[in-house]
Amino acid sequence: MSEQDDGFITTTVPTTDPYGNGADTTPAAGLISQYVKDLSFENPNAPAIFQNQTAPAIDVQFNIASAQVGDDVYEIVLRIEVKAEAEGTVAFLVDLSFAGLFGLRNFPAEHLQPFLLAEAPRLIFPFARRVLADAIRDGGFPPLLLEPIDFASVFLQQQEAAEEAIGETVGNA
């Protein structure tokens, strides 16, 4: 828009800044880094276990932990434990703690826990899966390729269980 007044041309340019004060209030999340925090592989019955022709029964357990480690920085640790047994003999044990550092800025409080305990583990899981498979393969066994885990569903189940436990505690005097 231009106006001419006393020989001067004045141009008004509409602002494209959606924030009146220039502050960025948009929620943002980013993966800063990911790393192996702890890895343990045990093959307690080698070399005898390699003579066993029976496929081992495999038990997989996982746990998720989160901690704030700085301003707007959170560490998510995905811990995966695997125990393989064949005919009552331990074939191998693996304990992996794989972590990711996430930067979260302007995150609404009601979205923080779902992100930290569902979305963040989903993002780092493929990398933890590869580390686990490589460790098992390097231990002399066929690599274990874990099926994808629906962390959002697990989070919702835990939330529902916690709400039911609170309801039972409040209902029983």
Side-chain angles (χ1 to χ4, degrees):
M1 168 177 193
S2 297
E3 296 178 12
Q4 188 168 1
D5 186 53
D6 297 330
F8 294 99
I9 297 176
T10 307
T11 304
T12 306
V13 179
T15 180
T16 58
D17 183 11
Y19 314 105
N21 61 4
D24 183 6
T25 57
T26 304
L31 178 60
I32 298 169
S33 179
Q34 54 186 331
Y35 47 93
V36 173
K37 190 164 182 130
D38 186 34
L39 175 61
S40 171
F41 178 87
E42 296 178 39
N43 189 352
N45 294 303
I49 195 66
F50 296 117
Q51 303 302 316
N52 193 332
Q53 299 299 317
T54 305
I58 297 178
D59 179 43
V60 179
Q61 302 291 321
F62 68 94
N63 190 16
I64 302 164
S66 69
Q68 187 168 4
V69 295
D71 290 340
D72 298 333
V73 179
Y74 295 82
E75 180 186 54
I76 306 305
V77 179
L78 177 57
R79 183 171 181 201
I80 304 171
E81 298 175 15
V82 179
K83 181 177 183 179
E85 286 185 315
E87 297 177 355
T89 303
V90 174
F92 63 84
L93 301 163
V94 184
D95 188 354
L96 169 65
S97 292
F98 193 84
L101 281 180
F102 289 85
L104 303 177
R105 186 179 59 223
N106 303 322
F107 232 69
E110 67 272 10
H111 295 228
L112 188 60
Q113 286 297 86
F115 181 86
L116 294 176
L117 299 177
E119 184 62 15
R122 183 190 68 80
L123 293 171
I124 64 174
F125 176 75
F127 303 96
R129 176 183 166 184
R130 183 194 53 81
V131 169
L132 187 75
D134 288 351
I136 293 170
R137 184 200 64 223
D138 292 347
F141 297 93
L144 174 65
L145 297 177
L146 295 177
E147 292 292 322
I149 299 170
D150 184 357
F151 290 102
S153 176
V154 171
F155 175 74
L156 290 174
Q157 288 172 1
Q158 289 178 342
Q159 289 291 95
E160 290 172 4
E163 288 172 6
E164 287 177 13
I166 289 172
E168 290 174 6
T169 303
V170 172
N172 297 331

